[in-house]
């Protein structure tokens, strides 16, 4: 089984994004947001079958851990109420996709974060998504300000109530910024990778995993700059008299494989323990076109994994499936239940 | 000849940093800064001969392109006048090192940047350093706010007067942030690499090199996250209908080799054209200890270059010397003059 742990609903029916545009317009005008968008099952099927599901089939992957469009979360827009409405609508839409295609998609939720607002306010939506909708994790934005980085680091006690709930529910978070409203940062080309690098270094300098030994984070986009600078991080940890990285954070921090060329995936699988790597492509996402150097889609990351020199079948199985089942413990339960219900009587 | 294009005076005599502390204290008290620090040649010799010069000899490198301590620039502290005083003192000290050891060190200056202040105000100090002190380049901070990223991107016309002067003087800039006053960003573990990644993406989305075809930038720390995500950048450029990266920016943008493990240097030299890579170690810098996995200093980057599989002698010569002489054109002139003056009569 091949699990892609990083997919966003970037192809959602246009009514969905139109509602968001109307919500923002209403915010500006000081009026009420419009009623919830009406989207039919057929529209959802169209968007998924011509998009993510087609690509799953073409590339031979099985299941996508699926969440709302990351750049669309826009936590910096409006206040916590605006964020709450929008998050509910986004998460409900993901739930509909997962209900229509239970074998192919499993949900991860957007949190109703807002700059300066305690992350504890996100607990209700997290519980609803996990307990009522069957989601298996959440996306956590380390910078709800959208490029101004005005909230405390992820290791501050500001975030702890949310972590307590994550631990209680046994769900991991993917650290994922949203769009950037700071003209210095291109979203997918700078802000995303900076968010990944920043979060890792916050973890390296803190004792968060002493406080939460079972808390789990996935750092996407291959860990930002981290694996490329793995020697730098090992050295900084050593200079700061921190424990070795394996002991300090590799029981809690995982990297995905959203790195869009062979040399990058070769490095990732060489320097990071295989147990800490989760297969992902982020399709349909940041890079949509075909690499003229290979003739294949840049984000067809399975091809790179397959071509890593000397990567054993057992290692691939870990990257494709086993590590994801370890990190997303609710996925394991879900799949066992689903298997049992399909077992011959 | 082996040129290390990235060294900071991190071992300066303590009177130097003490003056800075006194300047900051005076700023808080609203009093005048103290008189310039008195530092003897012997103190400078001590700090250099036990530090950078010893390491040059041990590692077999010849010349360090030398600038004030990057984390110490602190452009976010005080105003432009404070920055002007401090920059002059820092640059004068570098000049003394270069005068005492002309065969081993050549100067690159700190600019008196200040958040929100037009970079044009730095032109005077740049001219003084290049014309009067014989410096061959400058360090340019893309975020003088120290982690708040409140100034316009490097590609904004805000910066153009400084670029005009750089082109006129024919000096390159290394893009280098300073310390971070934003608790989200660890300086050497996050802010530095984020600055590198951010600058590259700014260049990718702009036509700055159409406006300044001979302007040259070095992106340090191996280019931040960029080479590891080279496929992502090639893909984003293609999706945005930008020219291929070679054409768009590789005549103007160079990467150094401050990547502190073998796998990182292997990747850098594999995906980035050899012509765009400049040897550097940043010693004595971000990582000071010995890698227990190799028994050698993390920042002994020459060892990694030597061990890159299949790297030809001609390629090494480019990385060690020829590329630096191309980028720092004033260094070439300086070395010719120096050779001529030492020629037998």
């Amino acid at each position: 089984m091949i699990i892609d742990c990083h997919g966003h609903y970037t192809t959602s029916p246009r009514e969905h994004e139109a509602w968001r545009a109307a919500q923002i317009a209403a915010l500006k005008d000081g009026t009420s947001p419009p009623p919830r968008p009406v989207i039919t099952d057929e529209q959802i099927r169209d968007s998924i079958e011509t998009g993510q599901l087609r690509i799953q089939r073409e590339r031979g992957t099985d299941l996508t851990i699926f969440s709302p469009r990351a750049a669309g979360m826009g936590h910096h827009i409006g206040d916590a109420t605006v964020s709450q409405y929008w998050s509910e609508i986004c998460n409900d839409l993901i739930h509909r996709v997962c209900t229509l295609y239970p074998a192919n998609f499993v949900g991860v939720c957007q949190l109703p974060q807002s700059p300066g607002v305690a992350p504890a306010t996100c607990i209700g939506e997290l519980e609803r998504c996990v307990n009522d909708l069957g989601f298996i994790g959440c996306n956590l934005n380390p910078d709800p300000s959208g490029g101004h980085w005005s909230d405390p680091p992820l290791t501050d006690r500001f975030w702890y109530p949310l972590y307590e709930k994550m631990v209680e529910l046994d769900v991991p978070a993917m650290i994922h910024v949203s769009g950037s409203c700071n003209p210095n940062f291109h979203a997918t080309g700078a802000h995303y990778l900076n968010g990944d690098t920043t979060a890792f270094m916050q973890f390296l300098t803190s004792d968060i995993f002493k406080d939460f030994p079972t808390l789990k984070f996935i750092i996407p986009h291959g860990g930002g700059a981290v694996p490329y600078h793995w020697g730098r991080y090992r050295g900084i940890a050593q200079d700061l008299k921190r424990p070795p990285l394996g002991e300090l954070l590799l029981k809690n921090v995982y990297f995905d494989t959203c790195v869009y060329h062979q040399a990058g995936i070769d490095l990732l699988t060489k320097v990071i323990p295989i147990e800490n790597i989760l297969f992902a492509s982020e399709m349909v996402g940041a890079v949509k076109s075909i690499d003229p150097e290979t003739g294949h889609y840049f984000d067809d990351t399975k091809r790179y994994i397959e071509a890593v020199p000397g990567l054993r079948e057992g290692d691939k199985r870990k990257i494709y499936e086993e590590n994801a089942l370890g990190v997303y413990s609710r996925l394991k339960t879900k799949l066992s239940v689903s298997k049992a219900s399909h077992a011959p009587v």
Side-chain angles (χ1 to χ4, degrees), chain A:
Chain A
M1 182 175 201
I2 298 185
I3 301 167
D4 184 337
C5 80
H6 188 176
H8 303 293
Y9 197 6
T10 49
T11 59
S12 61
R14 61 182 175 73
E15 284 77 359
H16 180 64
E17 294 289 342
W19 186 88
R20 173 63 164 172
Q23 185 197 34
I24 294 170
L27 179 70
K28 277 185 188 148
D29 300 344
T31 57
S32 295
R36 284 192 161 223
V38 177
I39 295 170
T40 65
D41 283 356
E42 190 169 342
Q43 283 179 298
I44 294 175
R45 280 202 195 93
D46 273 356
S47 73
I48 289 289
E49 294 194 8
T50 58
Q52 286 81 357
L53 196 61
R54 173 183 59 79
I55 297 174
Q56 272 191 11
R57 285 172 185 149
E58 282 172 8
R59 298 187 186 172
T61 63
D62 300 295
L63 181 75
T64 300
I65 297 179
F66 206 50
S67 61
R69 193 167 69 89
M73 297 190 296
H75 294 123
H76 57 282
I77 298 170
D79 59 14
T81 307
V82 168
S83 196
Q84 181 73 33
Y85 272 110
W86 175 230
S87 298
E88 285 174 15
I89 286 178
C90 288
N91 292 330
D92 286 347
L93 190 63
I94 293 296
H95 180 53
R96 289 181 65 191
V97 173
C98 300
T99 306
L100 286 169
Y101 301 97
N104 302 96
F105 297 93
V106 60
V108 149
C109 67
Q110 167 178 331
L111 294 173
Q113 296 176 248
S114 193
V117 177
T121 58
C122 299
I123 289 175
E125 182 63 4
L126 177 64
E127 284 188 308
R128 183 181 81 91
C129 290
V130 173
N131 291 331
D132 302 350
L133 309 185
F135 284 22
I136 61 168
C138 59
N139 289 333
L140 182 64
N141 185 345
D143 172 31
S145 76
H148 294 287
W149 293 91
S150 50
D151 276 357
L154 289 176
T155 49
D156 192 279
R157 284 174 183 274
F158 181 68
W159 302 86
Y160 272 29
L162 181 64
Y163 299 156
E164 282 162 16
K165 185 53 68 177
M166 284 170 56
V167 166
E168 184 197 314
L169 294 171
D170 199 14
V171 292
M174 178 173 279
I175 309 291
H176 206 309
V177 295
S178 183
S180 159
C181 62
N182 184 327
N184 279 286
F185 304 126
H186 184 276
T188 55
H191 192 42
Y192 280 27
L193 304 177
N194 292 351
D196 305 335
T197 306
T198 300
F200 181 84
M201 193 61 203
Q202 292 176 358
F203 298 145
L204 191 155
T205 48
S206 99
D207 286 328
I208 182 175
F209 302 121
K210 275 194 186 158
D211 293 338
F212 297 101
T214 62
L215 187 63
K216 289 190 168 64
F217 293 115
I218 302 99
I219 304 189
H221 320 109
V226 173
Y228 175 49
H229 287 284
W230 196 239
R232 186 180 190 88
Y233 289 102
R234 288 197 295 107
I236 290 178
Q238 186 170 297
D239 285 1
L240 294 175
K241 317 280 183 219
R242 305 288 298 158
L245 298 180
E247 192 183 313
L248 176 63
L249 47 70
L250 289 178
K251 290 180 195 95
N252 307 85
V253 173
Y254 299 81
F255 301 95
D256 82 7
T257 65
C258 291
V259 178
Y260 297 155
H261 63 152
Q262 189 65 48
I265 292 287
D266 289 350
L267 178 139
L268 173 68
T269 52
K270 188 165 192 174
V271 304
I272 303 297
I274 294 297
E275 290 67 26
N276 291 78
I277 303 173
L278 272 63
F279 176 71
S281 71
E282 207 176 355
M283 65 91 175
V284 183
V287 179
K288 297 187 179 59
S289 58
I290 289 175
D291 184 349
E293 291 185 8
T294 65
H296 300 293
Y297 283 95
F298 278 106
D299 67 1
D300 188 355
T301 52
K302 182 163 161 272
R303 287 185 182 271
Y304 309 133
I305 308 279
E306 291 299 323
V308 171
L311 195 67
R312 291 169 302 186
E313 283 308 310
D315 291 340
K316 288 186 206 167
R317 215 160 37 239
K318 286 181 184 169
I319 293 172
Y320 285 143
E321 175 182 351
E322 291 172 11
N323 297 339
L325 294 178
V327 172
Y328 296 90
S329 62
R330 282 176 175 260
L331 178 58
K332 203 168 183 173
T333 314
K334 230 179 157 81
L335 292 177
S336 327
V337 171
S338 155
K339 257 191 198 159
S341 72
H342 287 84
V345 187

